[in-house]
Amino acid sequence: MSRALNWEREGSIWPHRASSRFVDCGTVRWHVQTMGEGPPLLLLHGTGASCHSWRDVMPALARHYTCIAPDLPGHAFSRASGAATTLPRMARELCALLDRLELSPAAIVGHSAGAAIALQMLRERDTTIPVVGFNPALAPFPGIGSQLFPLMAKLLFVNPLVPRVFAGIASLSGETARFLRRSTNSRIDAAGLHCYEVLLGNAGHCRAALAMMANWDLEPLQRYLVDLHGPVLLVHSERDEAIPLTSVRKAAERLPDAQLEVLPGLGHLAHEERPAEAAEHIRRFLDARAKVA
């Protein structure tokens, strides 16, 4: 059994630790950070990350919104006893969490896979609240990759040694920083890098990320994008080599009420590279939509 991350041990270095709490709901014991005052704003991180990815975005938004940032099931400090790894299941678990907290978000902001979850939640709730997606992972891998990469993730997931190997490699000096630069084309601050070192050095967290990848199916999401009529802002980075800009453009074209903004010079973790700019994109979009409403 992989040793889980411990809040008193590994969590001692977590940004905004005082804003954290744990909430039992369904099959998940959620780690949730809450900050600020105003309309509720749900922030969803991507695969393999945690709520720490919003560490500098949240304070910038907290003057105008109540920010709610959970760790996704199985990630970081959120424990999942069930198989909350598919896109629909994860969206339903998050909807249940909001019910448990008696919150109805004014908007949802997601990064990468978190953007896909946000749009899935619109479908689950049949709602048209605004969504902001940073570097959104909304399309399957092109060509043979659509079959190959999920299969590889499944094979890695069922091998109990693989998450331990990943965690062992990540524990080597400097390897996490090199891995992030290669995979995201982003350079982030020391506080964020330290959190990723903790996460990627833990076999349980790595296993949850692999499980999510192995069970991720974006084909249904692609089909019903045309039925999601809420306002959507997609913010993509010019230097994001993980997600092609062409796929984000196609998603923006399929969504009935979407706009796309491209950030020059940034990688996949743009919201961590320039959090003030990311917060400004969110505020400006939501302010404009509020005036229209």
Side-chain angles (χ1 to χ4, degrees), residues 207-259:
R207 175 167 289 275
L210 285 170
M212 189 171 167
M213 291 171 62
N215 290 288
W216 215 238
D217 181 8
L218 292 172
E219 290 286 356
L221 176 65
Q222 283 286 295
R223 291 195 297 270
Y224 59 69
L225 285 180
V226 295
D227 299 320
L228 300 178
H229 291 274
V232 177
L233 170 65
L234 301 180
V235 184
H236 201 62
S237 302
E238 183 182 57
R239 298 178 64 245
D240 185 350
E241 297 177 0
I243 297 174
L245 177 58
T246 54
S247 72
V248 182
R249 288 193 191 280
K250 289 178 181 178
E253 290 168 0
R254 288 182 61 78
L255 286 159
D257 184 5
Q259 60 189 82

Side-chain angles (χ1 to χ4, degrees), residues 18-69:
S19 300
S20 291
R21 59 172 161 163
F22 291 86
V23 181
D24 292 312
C25 181
T27 63
V28 183
R29 184 170 194 257
W30 296 89
H31 169 234
V32 184
Q33 291 194 331
T34 306
M35 180 186 301
E37 295 182 358
L41 193 62
L42 181 64
L43 306 176
L44 303 177
H45 66 79
T47 311
S50 82
C51 66
H52 87 276
S53 71
W54 304 108
R55 63 194 174 280
D56 295 321
V57 176
M58 279 200 296
L61 292 172
R63 295 188 294 272
H64 308 277
Y65 297 95
T66 300
C67 298
I68 303 104

Side-chain angles (χ1 to χ4, degrees), residues 71-207:
D71 290 340
L72 293 178
H75 285 62
F77 301 98
S78 285
R79 301 284 168 263
S81 58
T85 55
T86 67
L87 177 56
R89 176 69 182 274
M90 201 165 286
R92 287 194 290 269
E93 294 282 6
L94 279 159
C95 288
L97 172 64
L98 292 175
D99 290 342
R100 174 75 172 79
L101 297 174
E102 297 182 340
L103 289 173
S104 180
I108 307 176
V109 180
H111 170 249
S112 194
I117 298 171
L119 293 175
Q120 180 72 30
M121 290 177 72
L122 296 193
R123 187 168 188 254
E124 295 290 333
R125 283 291 166 100
D126 190 23
T127 182
T128 56
I129 63 172
V131 165
V132 181
F134 284 90
N135 300 84
L138 303 179
F141 290 103
I144 193 172
S146 62
Q147 289 81 39
L148 181 60
F149 291 110
L151 175 61
M152 288 174 62
K154 286 183 171 70
L155 292 173
L156 294 173
F157 172 62
V158 299
N159 185 340
L161 295 178
V162 169
R164 295 179 185 273
V165 171
F166 280 8
I169 292 173
S171 67
L172 298 175
S173 177
E175 186 55 36
T176 298
R178 286 190 289 271
F179 169 76
L180 285 177
R181 284 198 296 272
R182 288 195 305 268
S183 61
T184 69
N185 222 7
S186 290
R187 292 180 180 269
I188 62 173
D189 63 7
L193 184 58
H194 196 177
C195 291
Y196 279 112
E197 286 174 342
V198 170
L199 295 175
L200 298 180
N202 180 264
H205 175 85
C206 292
R207 175 167 289 275

